[in-house]
Amino acid sequence: MFTVLTQPPADLDDTLSVWIPIRSGTVYTDPGGGLWRSPASPVSDGSAQRAFLGVLDGHGVWAVDLDPADGPALDEGDLEPVPLRKLYGRIPDEHWQIAGRAAQIVEFERTHRYCGRCGSPTRTNPSDRAKICDKCGHMAFPRLSPAMIVLVERGAEVLLAWGRQFPGRFYSALAGFVEPGESLEDAVVREVREEVGITVGNVRYFGSQPWPFPHSLMCGFNCDWKAGEIDPDPDEIVDADWYTADNLPPVPRGGMSISGWLIEDWLERMSAG
Ligand SMILES: [Zn+2]
């Protein structure tokens, strides 16, 4: 079990901490598989920034920032570098989520060493995950970008789209970032209208997922078609259409992303009738 903390508790058993060294989104792991566990940091270079993430099964968890590329070196030469995406499935899901948190926290620490308002050096807030500027009082928090992903349903059909950013022919639910001033539900309705030109309603929350590439929070929804014909935005969508369960294009199934969970859930409901 993982408990989120910003400071090590006084009674922490530090005999076998978990260390997550990260350089440009690549996590250095135990070559035997799993996160690296050791009594001491695998980086003795004092210039390496570290951040406490919490306690995993009684042991402290630390993120260590190895950026830039010519920055601090690992003392342990045999740690295996694995890009965060590829780490999925190789370690328990809870550990993968912690590694994603580590990537976001080291990015936050590295990009908030100076105040964005007055340029003075900041210090770490002892109680919250935040940086404080003592000169002007400005506080900065880790950047988190809410995004929505939605599966539009019409009777026994779902709308699936081949996004222009996908590397190959691959269909998925529609997704987009939430804009300032709108609710998640507003974003669902707007994005669907912008991307495929149809009107939707009955927006229902499905679940959410931290998505550390680099700092999104994906919020999943189902909704129903109300009106209009599909008219894809050519800047974003290569192709979009309605599909039934027995006639699906290449789609994510289950796996690491909420788009796969949405489609899996819909297929289960369809097969249950
Ligand atoms: Zn300041």
Side-chain angles (χ1 to χ4, degrees):
M1 195 189 78
F2 180 63
T3 306
V4 178
L5 293 169
T6 56
Q7 299 286 326
D11 60 349
L12 181 66
D13 170 10
D14 233 355
T15 52
L16 201 60
S17 295
V18 176
W19 299 92
I20 309 178
I22 296 182
R23 176 176 285 138
S24 304
T26 289
V27 182
Y28 286 77
T29 62
D30 190 326
L35 300 176
W36 178 253
R37 291 167 186 266
S38 163
S41 169
V43 185
S44 56
D45 184 334
S47 72
Q49 298 293 315
R50 64 165 79 164
F52 189 74
L53 302 184
V55 176
L56 175 64
D57 301 328
H59 302 285
V61 182
W62 296 85
V64 185
D65 186 8
L66 298 180
D67 271 317
D70 60 353
L74 286 164
D75 303 338
E76 301 280 347
D78 59 349
L79 291 194
E80 184 186 3
V82 184
L84 186 56
R85 279 179 197 268
K86 296 206 167 136
L87 195 57
Y88 182 82
R90 292 174 55 151
I91 59 176
D93 285 359
E94 184 184 43
H95 294 194
W96 187 72
Q97 200 164 327
I98 293 168
R101 175 187 294 268
Q104 292 180 81
I105 298 300
V106 297
E107 172 74 11
F108 166 64
E109 293 281 341
R110 189 180 337 110
T111 55
H112 291 80
R113 287 178 293 170
Y114 298 93
C115 175
R117 183 192 280 155
C118 77
S120 302
T122 58
R123 69 178 167 85
T124 299
N125 185 335
S127 55
D128 290 324
R129 184 72 69 190
K131 300 294 243 184
I132 309 173
C133 174
D134 286 325
K135 187 150 184 218
C136 77
H138 181 64
M139 270 180 97
F141 298 89
R143 194 154 131 206
L144 209 51
S145 305
M148 69 81 214
I149 181 160
V150 60
L151 202 57
V152 185
E153 303 180 30
R154 185 177 75 173
E157 298 173 309
V158 278
L159 195 162
L160 295 168
W162 174 5
R164 204 158 278 291
Q165 81 280 15
F166 299 164
R169 182 172 176 267
F170 184 75
Y171 287 72
S172 189
L174 298 174
F177 286 104
V178 181
E179 296 199 350
E182 67 184 1
S183 68
L184 291 164
E185 291 84 354
D186 292 340
V188 166
V189 173
R190 175 185 53 76
E191 278 286 342
V192 173
R193 193 183 60 238
E194 287 177 2
E195 293 192 10
V196 293
I198 64 170
T199 304
V200 297
N202 191 21
V203 178
R204 309 179 294 282
Y205 179 68
F206 173 79
S208 67
Q209 177 187 35
W211 191 245
F213 307 105
H215 40 64
S216 296
L217 174 65
M218 297 301 293
C219 304
F221 293 88
N222 296 101
C223 73
D224 295 335
W225 171 85
K226 290 286 178 211
E229 296 296 322
I230 294 174
D231 178 19
D233 173 0
D235 290 339
E236 296 206 36
I237 306 288
V238 181
D239 182 41
D241 211 338
W242 298 105
Y243 291 93
T244 53
D246 57 4
N247 186 30
L248 286 179
V251 289
R253 295 285 301 272
M256 73 189 282
S257 72
I258 195 167
S259 57
W261 310 344
L262 276 163
I263 292 168
E264 205 65 43
D265 167 74
W266 175 76
L267 285 169
E268 276 173 28
R269 281 190 282 121
M270 288 298 115
S271 67

